């Protein structure tokens, strides 16, 4: 028995020694201050705002990492390090397309650098300028819409400026956008329908920035449609209301169950129709989901749906040419948490209500029709706590 025990102990120690040898940790050791060998075969691939540099490492066990040293367009020296186990690195932070020199070093485990290998890079157009060129800013109801493309998915800030008390331009942190996403989108509301100047520029994380662009925009007039005029308009094809709820609950200023409109059909999308009692150029539809103990993204809260408008709907309820598609929408739960679990960001977003911008080319309408395809529980039913329409009813 003892012989067997000692046998397994010896085997375990041998395996441990083998694993230790495979790991080959490259920690500093000893007092070797000799200069490591230089890398070779450096190849430059210019990219937006920088370059990717590939190279061949020497067969030198004393090398710990590779570093690149260069001066960015902001005039500051920068350094990028790459592990010994990779064969390339990326230098960034350039806002011009001029030639720049980059010095490449191998560095030993005792932090001794080799002689430099110098390469010339010529960065392509920096992401900040591509973002600026793609900006589309145009008037909307009660404000303006701004879209842009960030094709390099770079870390950028689209800085919106405002006038301070001294009539000087300064960053407006509430309207500026900080992102690395490929699509940039912003909808600003609450502005008067008078001509005003919007100023903006794009900046990267190295402090490089574009020139400031000034653009005049005149928001369209927008007001809240008088909710005292709203009425229910049940049409053939609309989903039946369940559990004793009524459509008028959607503008009674009472929150949560049972003061909601709960409609569902088992066959196809569920529809519900409202008469605003006034004809208007609708700019956006706002609605509030039913709350269940501060949870909103569950049960019959609409997830994928359409909103239609009509000035004179077909009384047979058909969704025909008498209706205009105002928009197609999808509600995304901000946190991405599983069904039934909402965090504070989820709750705060839902408590503010969901604002659905309407096609700016839509005609004037009086009747609004919701068409729900799928909700958060997986059926087509819809539950709306409060509803309001905004636009120009003059």
């Amino acid at each position: 028995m003892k012989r067997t025990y000692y046998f397994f102990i010896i085997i375990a120690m041998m395996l441990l020694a083998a694993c230790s040898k495979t790991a080959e940790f490259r920690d500093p050791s000893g007092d070797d201050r000799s200069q490591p060998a230089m890398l070779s075969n450096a190849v430059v691939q210019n990219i937006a705002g920088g370059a990717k540099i590939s190279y061949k490492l020497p067969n030198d066990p004393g090398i710990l990492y590779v570093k690149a040293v260069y001066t960015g367009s902001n005039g500051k020296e920068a350094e990028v390090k790459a592990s010994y186990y990779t064969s390339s690195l990326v230098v960034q932070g350039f806002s011009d397309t001029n030639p720049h020199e980059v010095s490449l070093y191998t560095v030993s485990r005792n932090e001794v650098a080799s002689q430099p290998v110098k390469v010339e890079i010529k960065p392509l157009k920096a992401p900040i300028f591509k973002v600026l060129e793609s900006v589309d800013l145009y008037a909307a109801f009660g404000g303006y819409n701004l879209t842009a493309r960030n094709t390099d998915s770079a870390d950028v800030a689209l800085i919106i400026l405002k006038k301070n008390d001294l009539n000087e331009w300064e960053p407006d942190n509430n309207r500026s956008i900080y992102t690395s996403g490929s699509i940039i989108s912003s909808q600003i509301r609450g502005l008067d329908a008078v001509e005003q100047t919007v100023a903006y520029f794009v900046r990267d994380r190295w402090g490089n920035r574009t020139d400031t662009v000034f653009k005049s925009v005149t928001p369209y007039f927008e007001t809240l449609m008088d909710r005292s005029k709203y009425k229910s308009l049940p049409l053939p094809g609309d989903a039946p209301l369940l559990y004793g709820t009524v459509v008028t609950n959607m503008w009674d200023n009472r929150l949560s169950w049972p003061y909601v409109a709960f409609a569902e059909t088992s066959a196809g999308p569920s529809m519900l129709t409202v008469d605003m009692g006034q004809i208007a150029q609708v700019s956006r539809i706002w609605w509030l989901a039913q709350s269940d103990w501060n949870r909103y993204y569950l049960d019959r809260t609409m997830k994928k749906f359409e909103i239609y408008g009509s000035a004179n709907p077909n009384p047979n309820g058909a969704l025909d040419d008498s209706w205009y598609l105002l928009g197609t929408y999808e509600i995304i739960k901000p946190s991405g948490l599983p069904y039934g679990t909402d965090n504070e960001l989820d709750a705060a977003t839902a408590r503010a209500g969901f604002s659905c911008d309407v096609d700016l080319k839509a005609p004037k309408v009086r009747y609004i029709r919701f068409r729900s395809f799928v909700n958060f529980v997986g059926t087509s039913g819809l539950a709306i706590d409060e509803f309001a329409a905004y636009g120009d009813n003059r």
Side-chain angles (χ1 to χ4, degrees):
M1 224 22 217
K2 284 187 176 179
R3 286 182 182 176
T4 304
Y5 173 77
Y6 288 125
F7 173 77
F8 283 115
I9 291 293
I10 292 170
I11 293 297
M13 292 176 67
M14 290 172 65
L15 289 172
L16 183 60
C19 290
S20 299
K21 197 175 281 188
T22 302
E24 192 188 348
F25 292 111
R26 289 179 167 262
D27 291 330
S29 63
D31 297 319
D32 183 6
R33 307 299 298 175
S34 61
Q35 203 168 41
M38 301 161 61
L39 54 78
S40 60
N41 297 345
V43 177
V44 172
Q45 178 188 349
N46 294 312
I47 60 174
K52 179 180 179 181
I53 306 173
S54 304
Y55 45 79
K56 182 179 179 181
L57 283 164
N59 185 20
D60 185 343
I63 294 174
L64 181 63
Y65 63 89
V66 174
K67 72 174 179 180
V69 178
Y70 58 98
T71 301
S73 298
N74 57 12
K76 297 180 181 179
E77 186 175 279
E79 186 177 286
V80 173
K81 295 180 180 179
S83 165
Y84 173 85
Y85 300 101
T86 64
S87 59
S88 66
L89 52 75
V90 175
V91 294
Q92 296 174 288
F94 298 94
S95 61
D96 58 67
T97 56
N98 300 325
H100 293 269
E101 185 179 84
V102 178
S103 297
L104 302 167
Y105 303 85
T106 60
V107 182
S108 73
R109 288 179 282 177
N110 286 299
E111 292 296 323
V112 179
S114 70
Q115 289 295 313
V117 172
K118 298 189 178 185
V119 297
E120 183 179 89
I121 69 168
K122 194 174 182 182
L124 304 181
K125 182 183 290 184
I128 55 174
F129 296 108
K130 293 198 277 187
V131 171
L132 185 73
E133 291 170 0
S134 72
V135 171
D136 184 15
L137 191 152
Y138 54 94
F141 285 91
Y144 63 82
N145 293 340
L146 182 154
T147 62
R149 296 183 304 278
N150 181 17
T151 54
D152 300 296
S153 295
D155 289 318
V156 296
L158 203 165
I159 304 298
I160 307 297
L161 302 175
K162 64 179 179 179
K163 289 285 189 74
N164 60 21
D165 294 338
L166 299 177
N167 204 36
E168 299 170 331
W169 291 104
E170 65 178 15
D172 186 339
N173 292 325
N174 292 325
R175 295 181 182 174
S176 298
I177 306 165
Y178 304 84
T179 183
S180 60
S182 60
I183 301 297
I184 298 173
S185 179
S186 176
Q187 293 81 38
I188 301 301
R189 298 294 180 264
L191 303 181
D192 294 331
V194 295
E195 185 180 42
Q196 45 201 285
T197 301
V198 180
Y200 57 90
F201 64 87
V202 184
R203 185 184 67 206
D204 64 23
R205 59 190 176 96
W206 295 276
N208 300 312
R209 53 164 291 178
T210 66
D211 290 335
T212 300
V213 174
F214 297 87
K215 184 167 184 178
S216 295
V217 63
T218 303
Y220 304 138
F221 173 80
E222 181 185 67
T223 188
L224 171 65
M225 301 294 106
D226 185 356
R227 298 210 307 167
S228 69
K229 297 180 179 180
Y230 292 7
K231 294 177 288 185
S232 171
L233 181 69
L235 288 175
D238 282 1
L241 288 149
L242 306 179
Y243 309 119
T245 63
V246 292
V247 173
T248 55
N249 285 343
M250 293 164 55
W251 51 87
D252 65 357
N253 294 315
R254 295 182 296 178
L255 303 182
S256 298
W257 187 263
Y259 308 113
V260 302
F262 195 131
E264 184 167 31
T265 180
S266 59
S270 296
M271 295 192 293
L272 182 150
T273 310
V274 174
D275 176 3
M276 295 190 298
Q278 56 210 293
I279 193 162
Q281 185 82 44
V282 175
S283 59
R284 58 191 169 106
I285 299 295
W286 174 89
W287 62 279
L288 187 66
Q290 175 193 348
S291 170
D292 180 8
W293 297 100
N294 212 32
R295 297 180 303 167
Y296 295 85
Y297 303 84
L298 74 173
D299 201 30
R300 270 67 179 179
T301 295
M302 292 189 295
K303 187 174 184 180
K304 294 182 179 180
F305 59 98
E306 295 173 337
I307 301 178
Y308 288 80
S310 175
N312 185 28
N314 191 327
N316 69 7
L319 200 60
D320 55 19
D321 290 343
S322 65
W323 290 96
Y324 187 93
L325 178 62
L326 301 179
T328 300
Y329 311 94
E330 180 176 2
I331 302 301
I332 303 295
K333 188 177 181 179
S335 70
L337 289 170
Y339 178 83
T341 305
D342 293 5
N343 64 15
E344 183 50 39
L345 174 61
D346 295 331
T349 301
R351 282 196 298 267
F354 301 112
S355 187
C356 301
D357 286 347
V358 166
D359 180 2
L360 294 176
K361 299 177 183 178
K364 290 186 176 183
V365 300
R366 171 172 172 167
Y367 305 92
I368 300 296
R369 201 173 203 185
F370 291 91
R371 189 184 190 212
S372 174
F373 292 97
V374 64
N375 51 41
F376 277 83
V377 80
T379 67
S380 72
L382 57 93
I384 299 177
D385 199 335
E386 290 290 312
F387 151 81
Y390 291 81
D392 187 350
N393 59 357
R394 295 175 301 178

